[in-house]
Every structure is written in structure tokens, then in C-alpha cells.
Amino acid sequence: MKRIYFSLIMILLFAAANTSAKETKTCPDSNHIIMGAEQTDKIKELVKNKRVGLIANHTSILSDGTHLLDALLKKGLNIKKIFAPEHGFRGTDDAGADIKNSIDGKTGTPIVSVYGKNNKPTAEQLADVDVIIFDIQDVGTRFYTYISTMHYAMEACAEMNKEFIVLDRPNPNDYVDGPVRKKGFSSFVGVHPVPVLHGLTVGELAHMINGEGWISTGKNSCRLHVISMKNWRHGQPYSLPIKPSPNLPNDISVKLYPSLCFFEGTSISVGRGTQFPFQVLGNPDKKYGNFTFTPQAIKGMDTNPMYKNKICFGEDLRSKPFEGGLSLRFVIRFFEKSGRNEKEFFSRADWFDLLAGTDSLRKQIIKGLSEKEIRESWKTDLDAYKQIRKKHLLYDDYSK
């Protein structure tokens, strides 16, 4: 009798385990982030019977690898044109290179440049469009120009009474840090009065731009819709499945980018023209370090890098621990290596200031202030910004 009971118990336990395994396998993964772009039924409902303009690039991909353009066309949506940002629709153009109008070879959809000579869609370009959809992966940094493209497209839509839809994606550099951009330092790498690391998704930033009245037409003048993500919160780590631009090829470069981009206004190379940009630092002078690299023309990344075909000496940051966020230790250390030579190091001082959003940072470094002292000078502006930020959050904020 005991054997019968034992056998029955074992059968029941096996059946329960098997059922549990099946349930686990079919249960939706609550940790899987569902991007705005993947919610195609919502998109279809918003743009039904409307003529659509699409601001997109190579990062506008669904989780199954389908490009958003292809997915929307498959849904029967009327995509009239693509607006291409810096690096182009396919994301292969050099940083700063003019993007030309063209035709998408796969779908025959016209591509209109909104980078270079034309940063903002014109009335003529919007005449046959009712709504613009924006879907581009950002890296959470003020001087990354995709958010500047979004700003001017929102402004154009507000001026022409067109709708603007943002399909949201995670922020891989989800911190609030750095100097807030000051008046007098506005540029295409600093359109908004936000810190270097703004701590927002593009959807939240669009809400802030609209709600704070940062476009010329005033507060809430843009007919804005954001399709939010599901299963994401602030502070949640996110590894980009596709490099967001030619010179941010991996997670290390994305993480270091906010701290190293300041070097673009100096005499120090960030490794453009190598296979590891924004992961190394160097200069042809041997005083900068023992690690060497030689920038070369690389099609699809940089065809005319700083110190092209010259051996550079410096540091390899790839194997060094970095906590993420924004650090000034790199720029301060290399300024010290220059012998504190202001003219040699800050070779493009105006560009450094535009990237920083102020001339105070450069002057503080020259003066010899420590990172702690410099950070203290940001506190008042950052505290004020954080209060503004709270108003526009669409997701749970950082854990306390």
C-alpha cells in the first residue's frame, strides 16, 4: 500500500513540476522591455487615415529585427517620407557630414535630410504630411544631436499644426549630472537648458520641451503624443542592441561618451579613426601615455579623423573600471599631462564651451579646481533642474 501511495505522490509531483515548467515557459517575461515602436496597433490607431512622416534611422528596429518603416508599411500605413538625422537614415555617415536627400532603396520612400543645411522640416516638406513619428535611440546626453532634431521637428509641427508622436526607448546613460547649459551657449549640440546628462527618455524630454515652452510657438503648442515603453523604470540598466551612431560601437563607448566628448574641443583624440572610438585618448606627443594607436580613414565611421595616419600616445580605457555617469577625471588628468598648457590643450576652446554649455568648466579646469569643487558649482542649477524634471517623468524614478 505504501508503494502505491509513494508512486501516486511521485506522479503528482512530476505532473505539477511539468505544469509549472510549461507555465513558466509561456508566461510573458515581465522584465522584457516593450518599446514604443513595438506597439504597432497603438501607432496605427493614432495615424489611421493620416499621411505620415517618419524621423528614423538604423536604430528604429523592433525586437524581432524588423525596421519600423517596414513594420508600418506592412500595417498599411501611408508613409509619405523619411526625415533623416545626423549620420543618415542608415546611420553610416561621418559625424558632422551633410546628409543629402535621397530615396530608400528597399521601399522607394523619399528621404529628406534634417541635418546640415536643413535642420528643421520646412513648410513645403510638411505640406503633404499630417503627422510625424519620431523613433530614434538616444544616449541621454545633451550634445547628442538626435534630440536636437526632435526639438526642431516638434517646433515645425507646432508651426504647421501637425501632430508629433514619439515612440519611446530607454536611456542607457540614465543619470542627472553635469553643468546645465547657460544662456549664450545654445547650439545644435546644446539646444536645451538641461545638464549634460538629463536623466530622461526622448519621450519625457519631448514632454519637457513642450511643457516648458522651449519651442518658439510656446508652452504645449505641439500636438504631442508619446507611446511609452512597458516594463522599464529609471535606473534600469540597458544594453543597446545596435550601435546608435558610427563612433559609439559598444556599451563601453556609450558609457564613456558623456565624459570623453569634451575632448572634441581639445588637442586630444578620442580614437576616431580606430575600431575603438570613445574608448581611448591620445596625442602625437609621447608625454600623454604609453598606449599607442594610429587613426586612419574608416568608411562609415570617420574618413578624416584627427591625427590621421599619425601615431598617438595616451591611455586605453577599455579595461579600466568606470562607474558610468559623468566624470571630469579624464579631462583634468590630460590637462595636467599637457603641462597645464592652456593654448595647447584647449585647441578649440569655443567648441569645448558649446559642448559644456558654459565657459565656466574650462575656466575652472585652467584655474586648477578639483572635480569636487567644480561639481559643487553645479549644485544650485542641478537642484532646480531636478524639480522641473519631476513634472515630466513618464516612468518610476530612481530607487531611493
Side-chain angles (χ1 to χ4, degrees):
M1 195 72 177
K2 287 181 180 178
R3 286 182 180 178
I4 294 171
Y5 284 137
F6 180 76
S7 298
L8 285 170
I9 289 167
M10 291 302 294
I11 291 167
L12 289 170
L13 286 171
F14 178 79
N18 195 42
T19 302
S20 177
K22 284 180 180 177
E23 286 175 354
T24 302
K25 197 171 183 180
T26 58
C27 181
D29 181 4
S30 61
N31 294 319
H32 172 64
I33 301 170
I34 300 173
M35 306 297 177
E38 294 180 281
Q39 300 171 56
T40 51
D41 287 338
K42 281 188 179 180
I43 300 169
K44 185 175 181 179
E45 187 63 30
L46 282 172
V47 302
K48 190 176 181 180
N49 300 322
K50 295 173 184 175
R51 301 166 299 173
V52 179
L54 183 63
I55 300 178
N57 65 3
H58 62 293
T59 68
S60 310
I61 298 294
L62 280 58
S63 59
D64 64 359
T66 304
H67 194 280
L68 178 65
L69 174 62
D70 298 324
L72 297 184
L73 288 172
K74 190 175 181 179
K75 283 278 185 180
L77 301 189
N78 183 13
I79 310 297
K80 298 295 291 186
K81 62 188 66 173
I82 300 160
F83 292 98
E86 183 176 12
H87 307 298
F89 180 56
R90 296 298 175 190
T92 56
D93 291 271
D94 288 357
D98 278 346
I99 306 302
K100 301 186 184 305
N101 295 345
S102 58
I103 300 289
D104 178 50
K106 182 178 179 181
T107 65
T109 309
I111 299 174
V112 178
S113 169
V114 283
Y115 183 80
K117 295 177 182 177
N118 176 39
N119 289 331
K120 178 177 174 179
T122 65
E124 183 181 356
Q125 290 164 348
L126 289 178
D128 59 348
V129 167
D130 300 309
V131 55
I132 283 183
I133 296 175
F134 180 96
D135 179 43
I136 295 180
Q137 177 64 59
D138 184 46
V139 297
T141 311
R142 184 185 63 219
F143 34 65
Y144 207 55
T145 64
Y146 297 153
I147 59 174
S148 304
T149 295
M150 181 176 74
H151 173 103
Y152 288 115
M154 287 176 63
E155 190 170 79
C157 284
E159 290 169 352
M160 297 291 293
N161 195 31
K162 310 288 184 178
E163 292 177 82
F164 192 85
I165 300 171
V166 177
L167 310 182
D168 219 0
R169 292 180 178 269
N171 179 347
N173 282 316
D174 193 24
Y175 304 85
V176 177
D177 204 359
V180 173
R181 196 222 70 200
K182 300 288 190 182
K183 288 183 179 179
F185 293 90
S186 177
S187 72
F188 203 68
V189 293
V191 175
H192 311 112
V194 300
V196 170
L197 289 171
H198 50 67
L200 299 168
T201 66
V202 287
E204 291 172 326
L205 181 58
H207 268 291
M208 184 181 283
I209 292 166
N210 202 33
E212 297 302 316
W214 289 345
I215 53 178
S216 62
T217 45
K219 282 189 177 184
N220 297 313
S221 57
C222 178
R223 296 165 61 194
L224 174 66
H225 306 274
V226 176
I227 298 183
S228 301
M229 293 174 283
K230 297 178 181 178
N231 305 326
W232 186 83
R233 62 168 294 139
H234 282 286
Q236 182 176 332
Y238 181 66
S239 175
L240 300 185
I242 298 173
K243 63 180 182 180
S245 55
N247 287 287
L248 294 182
N250 53 32
D251 288 343
I252 298 172
S253 61
V254 170
K255 186 183 284 190
L256 284 166
Y257 176 72
S259 303
L260 300 193
C261 196
F262 295 125
F263 283 98
E264 302 268 58
T266 74
S267 58
I268 306 300
S269 166
V270 294
R272 290 184 185 273
T274 72
Q275 295 298 332
F276 34 83
F278 287 99
Q279 298 158 79
V280 299
L281 295 168
N283 176 286
D285 194 319
K286 292 183 179 181
K287 67 185 175 186
Y288 287 103
N290 297 321
F291 175 72
T292 61
F293 61 91
T294 305
Q296 297 176 332
I298 301 177
K299 188 177 180 182
M301 290 184 73
D302 199 327
T303 53
N304 191 32
M306 175 185 272
Y307 305 130
K308 182 178 175 180
N309 298 326
K310 293 182 180 179
I311 298 175
C312 291
F313 300 83
E315 296 182 15
D316 184 354
L317 306 178
R318 287 173 290 179
S319 60
K320 296 181 180 180
F322 180 62
E323 64 279 10
L326 177 65
S327 175
L328 297 178
R329 65 177 181 263
F330 306 111
V331 69
I332 290 174
R333 184 164 72 235
F334 270 74
F335 180 61
E336 294 294 335
K337 287 186 177 192
S338 77
R340 300 186 56 78
N341 188 325
E342 175 185 343
K343 289 185 178 178
E344 176 189 309
F345 186 77
F346 292 106
S347 56
R348 295 185 289 170
D350 289 346
W351 186 237
F352 184 97
D353 294 346
L354 288 177
L355 291 168
T358 174
D359 59 1
S360 296
L361 177 58
R362 177 174 52 85
K363 291 175 180 177
Q364 289 167 326
I365 293 170
I366 292 168
K367 193 176 178 181
L369 270 63
S370 67
E371 177 163 1
K372 184 178 180 181
E373 291 171 319
I374 294 172
R375 285 186 169 281
E376 187 61 31
S377 72
W378 300 342
K379 190 175 185 305
T380 300
D381 285 347
L382 281 177
D383 286 346
Y385 169 77
K386 287 174 183 177
Q387 293 305 309
I388 297 172
R389 175 180 173 272
K390 283 181 182 178
K391 298 187 295 180
H392 303 288
L393 295 180
L394 300 174
Y395 310 94
D396 290 341
D397 206 0
Y398 311 115
S399 299
K400 303 297 183 187

